[in-house]
Amino acid sequence: MMNKIRSLDDLRVIKQQATDNPDSQVQIKVAMATCGIASGARETTNAFLDKIEREQLNAAVTQTGCMGYCYAEPTVEVHKPGSAPVVFGYVNTQKAVEIVDKYIMRGEWVDGVLPVNYQTIDSKEDPPQKQLRIALRNCGFIDPEKMDEYIARDGYVALGKVLNMSQAEAIDIMKKSGLRGRGGGGFPTGLKWEFAYNNKADQKYVICNADEGDPGAFMDRSILEGDPHSVIEAMAICGYCIGASKGLVYIRAEYPLAIKRLQTAINQAQEAGLLGKDILGSSFAFDLELRYGAGAFVCGEETALIHSMEGERGEPTVKPPFPAESGYMGKPSNVNNVETFANVPVVYLKGHEWFSSIGTDKAKGTKVFALAGKINNVGLIEVPMGVTLREVIFEIGGGIKGGKKFKAVQTGGPSGGCLTEKHLDTPIDYDNLIAAGSMMGSGGMIVMDEDDCMPAIAKFYLEFTVEESCGKCAPCRIGNKRLHELLHRICRGRGTEEDLDYLRNLSHVIKDTALCGLGQTSPNPVLSTLDYFYDEYLAHVRDKKCPAGQCKALKQYFIVPEKCTGCTACTKACPSNAITGEKRLAHLINQDKCIRCGACFEKCKFNAITIQ
């Protein structure tokens, strides 16, 4: 049980104790976020523990959050005394034993070392790395279930500093930092806090939006799994600044590990006196609790989120009033997302001048992205604002899988747009992405290659939007359904050129008339693919062809007579009896009966079947 922490001096004592590890001890850290556990990190951990016990080694095995190398899970960092830490990828149980035998015990090199391609907030590398970890500064370094390890990296020092300032002074520092909301809207954080501070009430609330619902996005989940105390500290800072004594974290129930670690961290902070009354010897009181969402994407919108927490339907309402004036239970409330809060302690630790020196004129600091799709290095990255898409995809991401050609990248999730090769040198920030026809969003970044069909991609995102619409306003409820029906018709080869004009016009109507941000941005995938891949749409409606060969209804399978041996393997595999022919003679596919399942293509050993 940890003693009550009543001052910054108490924090310094704990930091000193936490860093007094024996110099002779080997440190083995296993990434135990959701991605690592799913890849076998628990078994890897047990293999290390068993081997160390058998060999009676002076070594400690601990868990961390995600290290960012999701493509190489399970990942393990090994720190031998007197040597720089080394990160190994693809560490299964056999690899774990090999690392102990060769690298730790005999000092021999072991294959599978991953490049450390990022800087931390205190490192000074020349030349600097492409990545700079601010929000992710502790992820992959500390055990998220041990508060003393967070304190050892200056945890809760920022809160102590803020409690010695006036509220106005602390808010002014946040405004000067230039930190903008990382949840997609990009609204200045300090200004948002100031609005909530200026609205006087007997009760105010700090709300953390952890309802991360974008397909392919896992930034907020990874922060909560790897560094939950950073969010708790930031929410307490915000509470002091705006005059709130209560914090609520709205988190989707599909994040069981994040929930577990966040609740553990809350319990630890309460036990240590860092939540509750008289925090760090001040008169400030602040408490936190979790509220669970059912996984509705629309509840990422702040007013819908608030209604859900109140026990109402998760539907947005017209603003104003904004939550800073009338939010949870009608009281002034400040809503920021997980990544925004994760940046907050650093602003006060390093100073607003340091933070604002990173990024671009209009977008300060860094942005966390979840790299996914047809890219070699799938994972979690954090880059300064202003880094180009080319640097992210081809340098940090390692380029396109299988040597395929880059085709597009979707930023901003289902609310964003598809950007093309001509946008690769676009600096990443809020305004540049919007100007290009996409948006920053919360940080999902899905990469596509030459085999992806862009009308089908637009249809995929519309399917998601239609499913997740709350149904409150007609433009979103009905309009997006009509968009999806048009795209479905086009991808089946039944569309017309007039449909393309209708797609564009309807998309603009929805953007102009939908109630909330979900509806207003939902046509972005349609409009961006129409703008940049119009020829693909024309091929679907005019030629009844899918250039990428992905639309099942537009595929046609043909047998090349010269290559067909008449082995009948395709005939036996065909579920619709569409293939006819005599044994040892060339066969024929009846296009009227063919259901485009591809079974014949997979069974043919002579490459006699082609797809057109």
Side-chain angles (χ1 to χ4, degrees):
M1 181 174 180
M2 182 174 285
N3 294 328
K4 294 287 185 182
I5 300 171
R6 304 186 185 282
S7 66
L8 284 172
D9 287 337
D10 290 346
L11 288 172
R12 293 187 190 101
V13 171
I14 294 171
K15 177 178 179 178
Q16 185 62 46
Q17 292 172 344
T19 53
D20 283 342
N21 286 323
D23 292 337
S24 60
Q25 191 174 54
V26 176
Q27 300 293 321
I28 301 171
K29 298 179 180 180
V30 184
M32 292 277 282
T34 294
C35 52
I37 292 171
S39 301
R42 284 201 177 101
E43 292 78 6
T44 296
T45 300
N46 291 334
F48 273 115
L49 290 170
D50 291 344
K51 180 66 175 176
I52 288 167
E53 184 178 0
R54 287 199 305 272
E55 301 294 345
Q56 297 185 336
L57 297 178
N58 184 18
V61 181
T62 58
Q63 66 175 354
T64 72
C66 180
M67 295 179 182
Y69 309 96
C70 302
Y71 67 95
E73 294 288 0
T75 53
V76 175
E77 181 186 283
V78 180
H79 190 182
K80 292 166 55 176
S83 302
V86 176
V87 179
F88 294 93
Y90 309 102
V91 185
N92 56 21
T93 54
Q94 293 81 10
K95 191 79 169 182
V97 172
E98 182 184 9
I99 289 170
V100 176
D101 273 337
K102 292 184 177 179
Y103 181 69
I104 295 176
M105 295 179 65
R106 301 204 298 267
E108 299 174 6
W109 199 243
V110 176
D111 292 336
V113 174
L114 302 175
V116 179
N117 56 358
Y118 57 81
Q119 290 178 262
T120 63
I121 59 175
D122 295 315
S123 62
K124 297 178 177 64
E125 294 190 32
D126 190 26
Q129 297 282 354
K130 295 291 183 185
Q131 292 194 65
L132 173 61
R133 292 194 168 184
I134 297 178
L136 300 177
R137 62 194 176 279
N138 295 322
C139 292
F141 293 97
I142 67 171
D143 184 335
E145 297 184 30
K146 293 182 178 178
M147 189 172 70
D148 58 344
E149 292 194 20
Y150 178 70
I151 292 174
R153 294 172 69 89
D154 292 323
Y156 291 102
V157 172
L159 176 59
K161 288 184 174 182
V162 169
L163 293 178
N164 287 314
M165 304 175 187
S166 69
Q167 292 167 287
E169 183 183 2
I171 290 173
D172 189 56
I173 288 173
M174 184 55 62
K175 288 167 66 177
K176 288 179 178 177
S177 73
L179 174 63
R180 295 171 63 177
R182 300 299 196 244
F187 193 82
T189 304
L191 196 58
K192 202 174 198 182
W193 290 12
E194 187 175 58
F195 290 156
Y197 166 73
N198 287 333
N199 285 298
K200 305 304 178 185
D202 59 341
Q203 178 68 60
K204 297 181 183 180
Y205 295 94
V206 176
I207 298 170
C208 176
N209 180 355
D211 188 65
E212 183 177 51
D214 296 21
F218 47 91
M219 303 77 58
D220 291 352
R221 187 197 75 208
S222 297
I223 291 172
L224 291 174
E225 290 177 354
D227 190 19
H229 280 284
S230 67
V231 176
I232 294 170
E233 181 180 10
M235 292 181 70
I237 289 171
C238 177
Y240 173 77
C241 289
I242 71 171
S245 61
K246 186 75 173 179
L248 303 166
V249 180
Y250 185 81
I251 183 168
R252 53 181 44 223
E254 291 97 328
Y255 282 179
L257 184 61
I259 290 170
K260 173 181 176 290
R261 289 181 177 169
L262 185 56
Q263 187 61 63
T264 297
I266 290 172
N267 295 342
Q268 291 170 343
Q270 289 170 338
E271 184 180 310
L274 295 169
L275 289 174
K277 296 179 179 179
D278 304 324
I279 295 174
L280 290 175
S282 71
S283 60
F284 175 57
F286 188 77
D287 261 314
L288 270 180
E289 65 180 67
L290 304 185
R291 297 292 176 84
Y292 303 117
F297 179 65
V298 72
C299 288
E301 196 277 337
E302 58 185 5
T303 61
L305 179 154
I306 289 169
H307 295 316
S308 177
M309 289 201 303
E310 292 172 334
E312 305 292 334
R313 285 177 60 88
E315 295 178 338
T317 51
V318 176
K319 295 181 282 190
F322 291 91
E325 180 184 354
S326 177
Y328 182 68
M329 297 300 179
K331 302 294 185 179
S333 306
N334 180 87
V335 185
N336 287 122
N337 86 319
V338 170
E339 186 185 340
T340 308
F341 278 127
N343 280 278
V344 166
V346 180
V347 170
Y348 297 101
L349 282 173
K350 304 288 287 186
H352 64 81
E353 299 94 343
W354 180 88
F355 190 88
S356 61
S357 69
I358 300 163
T360 65
D361 289 341
K362 294 183 179 180
K364 305 298 184 182
T366 58
K367 182 71 189 76
V368 179
F369 288 101
L371 269 182
K374 308 286 187 64
I375 193 163
N376 283 310
N377 300 341
V378 170
L380 201 65
I381 68 167
E382 185 173 2
V383 293
M385 296 283 192
V387 167
T388 66
L389 288 167
R390 187 184 303 276
E391 290 173 294
V392 168
I393 294 168
F394 290 96
E395 294 184 36
I396 299 172
I400 311 304
K401 274 186 175 180
K404 297 277 188 175
K405 185 180 178 182
F406 168 82
K407 188 170 189 177
V409 57
Q410 174 87 4
T411 67
S415 302
C418 293
L419 304 181
T420 67
E421 193 169 9
K422 73 177 184 179
H423 300 107
L424 284 175
D425 295 312
T426 300
I428 298 172
D429 67 14
Y430 300 94
D431 300 329
N432 284 329
L433 291 179
I434 289 174
S438 188
M439 62 185 295
M440 182 80 76
S442 60
M445 188 176 287
I446 300 177
V447 179
M448 288 159 265
D449 67 13
E450 59 193 272
D451 294 332
D452 285 299
C453 168
M454 302 318 291
I457 290 292
K459 181 168 74 76
F460 165 78
Y461 282 112
L462 257 295
E463 285 173 2
F464 178 84
T465 305
V466 168
E467 178 70 24
E468 294 294 333
S469 173
C470 73
K472 184 174 183 178
C473 72
C476 184
R477 182 181 71 249
I478 302 172
N480 280 324
K481 183 68 174 174
R482 296 293 89 80
L483 282 182
H484 181 260
E485 288 169 354
L486 283 169
L487 289 166
H488 182 71
R489 192 156 69 230
I490 288 167
C491 289
R492 291 188 62 81
R494 298 174 182 174
T496 65
E497 290 187 48
E498 289 75 17
D499 286 338
L500 303 186
D501 293 330
Y502 187 28
L503 265 181
R504 192 182 297 277
N505 292 336
L506 180 55
S507 293
H508 284 297
V509 169
I510 295 170
K511 284 180 70 70
D512 292 340
T513 59
L515 174 62
C516 78
L518 183 147
Q520 292 161 10
T521 57
S522 58
N524 283 347
V526 180
L527 289 171
S528 62
T529 51
L530 278 172
D531 286 342
Y532 303 133
F533 299 96
Y534 193 71
D535 287 347
E536 278 198 43
Y537 279 92
L538 280 179
H540 281 71
V541 300
R542 184 185 291 169
D543 304 326
K544 310 303 179 186
K545 299 286 186 183
C546 175
Q550 295 300 312
C551 293
K552 182 178 175 180
L554 297 181
K555 287 181 178 180
Q556 285 189 307
Y557 293 83
F558 295 93
I559 295 176
V560 180
E562 295 80 9
K563 294 184 177 181
C564 181
T565 64
C567 70
T568 72
C570 60
T571 306
K572 294 173 183 175
C574 180
S576 61
N577 297 317
I579 303 176
T580 57
E582 298 291 332
K583 198 170 184 178
R584 296 190 180 86
L585 296 176
H587 284 48
L588 181 70
I589 299 176
N590 185 328
Q591 297 300 326
D592 292 331
K593 287 186 176 182
C594 178
I595 61 172
R596 281 75 172 164
C597 66
C600 59
F601 183 82
E602 294 174 2
K603 286 292 183 180
C604 183
K605 299 178 181 179
F606 302 98
N607 297 319
I609 298 177
T610 61
I611 306 173
Q612 296 180 12

